[in-house]
């Protein structure tokens, strides 16, 4: 000790990286503290093992590269885990809080630490419509969702001002509902405001009921007096013309009163069909942010979080195995975990790599289970029109090919979750507007030519039976 001191190189490295990384990334991961120097290494402390693994993987090479540039020595970085009490930790994002809390829970000395809770929380109990476990603490932030999660946190802290309205969109099981409810839960506790969470489907049903019972005034009052209105899955509103109309007016009333409005949707608003233009423009106002599927590292972290929240212990290598094999979305990840836990409880045996492999064989084996692939649609449609699959995907634009191609695009839009952008890629690298145009053409033809509907039904059946 004492003979070597590389602290200035460490400081400069961190400084440089601060300039090179986004602010989000920097705050999320650079919660490292210089501890000491050894002959050819620097020891820094991090708040947890999970954190160490993440940082190693993401930045170790880059940090060591910089250290070499600055010092001319091949200095390595060694990590040491050091619990920190909350008040001394660097500014933290929700994910860091998660990690620190996990460490703190393990520590029995926690009770003896001074615990200045950041906010004097009004103890309001549980919100009737919100799931208690859908919190920011339980939400793992990765590169796929950090923008959405940070926006959500800002909204929860400053409803009606930060981002209003806000719309989060993305595929099934990527955490839209969780984030939305996390906002609700936090604002409910901290802001003490009137929060309504409802799915677009229930909103529609309630509205229809209110008409039936001559209670539309009550309905309007309820929604137009909220401080925060959270409407989940607005894609459900497609074709619901009167509900759209009602929501439009609710939106305006709340927006004018600077109340927070928030939506989720399974696709970008531009891709919603059968939606009034004026409501569409309301959805698009404010912030629209998307959720992407999580990377392998984030999937590992989510699984670790989920097992922790449920109070179960599963070996890391099993969690990694699941993360490696289930990449579609978080809901499927959780389902695998649930299956293993159920098995372990039933057999009273611990979960091992072997049992996991055995138990999750079907899940791993069939990546897009129950999900029709675009390839299947293309093959079936091509076959039906006696074309080759390659022609259907090609750039050829003869009539004999364009129509089946447009039909395939239309069907893919109807029965899969793929966005027009993704579909464009699958159809020979076309632009998403081409896909939209193709779908429109079919819609027009459907109006003029009802028999086309029968063809589509036939194709749908063939597609469904294709794999069985
Ligand atoms: P969506 O509404 O987008 O279909 P959900 O919010 O219902 O998805 O998420 C599905 C499941 O995955 C939920 O149990 C949720 O808690 C979990 N989940 C999704 N993303 C995350 C995340 N980043 N961290 C922790 N859990 C997540
Ligand atoms: Mg949802």
């Amino acid at each position: 000790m004492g003979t070597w001191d590389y602290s200035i190189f460490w400081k400069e490295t961190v400084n440089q990286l601060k300039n090179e990384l986004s602010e989000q990334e920097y705050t999320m991961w650079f919660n490292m503290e210089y501890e000491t120097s050894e002959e050819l290494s620097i020891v820094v402390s991090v708040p947890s093992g999970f954190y160490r693994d993440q940082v190693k993987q993401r930045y170790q090479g880059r940090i060591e590269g910089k250290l070499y540039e600055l010092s001319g020595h091949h200095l390595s970085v060694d990590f040491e885990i050091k619990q920190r009490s909350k008040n001394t930790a660097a500014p933290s994002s929700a994910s860091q809080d998660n990690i620190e809390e996990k460490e703190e829970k393990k520590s029995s000395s926690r009770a003896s630490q001074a615990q200045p809770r950041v906010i004097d929380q009004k103890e309001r109990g549980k919100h009737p419509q919100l799931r208690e476990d859908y919190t920011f603490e339980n939400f793992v932030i990765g590169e796929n969702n950090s923008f959405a999660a940070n926006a959500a946190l800002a909204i929860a802290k400053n409803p009606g001002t930060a981002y209003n309205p806000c719309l989060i969109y993305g595929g099934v099981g990527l955490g839209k509902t969780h984030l939305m409810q996390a906002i609700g839960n936090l604002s409910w506790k901290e802001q003490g405001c009137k929060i309504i969470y409802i799915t677009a489907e229930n909103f529609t049903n309630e509205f229809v009921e209110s008409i039936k019972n001559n209670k539309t005034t009550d309905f309007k009052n309820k929604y137009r007096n909220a401080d925060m209105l959270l409407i989940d899955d607005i894609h459900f509103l497609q074709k619901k013309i009167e509900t759209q109309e009602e929501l439009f007016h609710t939106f305006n009333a709340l927006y004018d009163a600077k109340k927070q409005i928030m939506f989720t949707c399974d696709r970008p608003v531009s891709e919603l069909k059968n939606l009034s233009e004026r409501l569409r423009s309301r959805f698009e106002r404010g912030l629209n942010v998307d959720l992407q599927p999580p990377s392998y590292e984030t999937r590992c972290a989510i699984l670790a979080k989920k097992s922790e929240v449920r109070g179960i212990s599963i070996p890391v290598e099993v969690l990694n195995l699941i993360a490696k094999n289930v990449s579609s979305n978080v809901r499927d990840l959780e389902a695998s975990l649930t299956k293993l836990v159920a098995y372990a409880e039933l057999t009273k045996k611990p979960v091992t790599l072997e049992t996991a492999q055995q138990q999750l064989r079907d899940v791993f084996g069939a990546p897009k289970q129950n999900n029709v692939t675009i390839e299947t649609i293309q093959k079936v449609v091509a076959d039906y029109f006696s074309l080759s699959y390659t022609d259907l995907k090609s750039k050829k634009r003869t009539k004999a090919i364009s129509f089946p191609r447009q039909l395939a695009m239309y069907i893919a839009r109807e029965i899969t979750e793929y966005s027009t952008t993704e579909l464009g890629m699958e159809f020979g690298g076309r632009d998403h507007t081409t896909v939209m145009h193709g779908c429109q053409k079919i819609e027009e033809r459907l109006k003029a030519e009802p028999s086309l509907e029968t063809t589509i039904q036939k194709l749908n059946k063939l597609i469904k039976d294709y794999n069985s």
Side-chain angles (χ1 to χ4, degrees), residues 204 234-245 272-276 410 414 443:
T204 306
I234 54 158
H235 45 270
F236 183 84
L237 296 173
Q238 294 175 105
K239 295 190 186 151
K240 314 283 185 307
I241 296 171
E242 280 176 59
T243 311
Q244 286 179 24
E245 171 88 12
L272 289 172
K273 293 172 276 185
N274 302 300
L275 186 73
S276 77
Y410 175 85
E414 292 285 308
E443 272 165 30

Side-chain angles (χ1 to χ4, degrees), residues 80-114:
E80 162 185 309
I81 297 168
K82 199 167 177 186
Q83 286 173 25
R84 298 178 197 159
S85 61
K86 278 229 160 122
N87 34 357
T88 62
S92 61
S93 67
S95 72
Q96 274 178 28
D97 275 351
N98 292 346
I99 299 156
E100 281 159 24
E101 254 164 37
K102 179 157 76 183
E103 295 299 317
E104 280 181 6
K105 261 183 213 151
K106 283 187 205 146
S107 141
S108 55
S109 67
R110 188 179 184 189
S112 63
Q113 284 172 8

Side-chain angles (χ1 to χ4, degrees), residues 131 134 138-141 145 170-179 232-233 291 298 302 305-306 330-331 334:
R131 273 184 61 159
Y134 281 178
N138 290 347
F139 192 83
V140 174
I141 300 185
N145 61 22
V172 195
L174 294 181
K176 301 184 294 294
T177 300
H178 187 138
L179 263 188
D232 207 353
D233 293 332
L291 286 177
T298 308
I302 291 174
K305 186 83 221 171
K306 290 286 169 197
V330 183
R331 191 167 299 156
E334 261 194 294

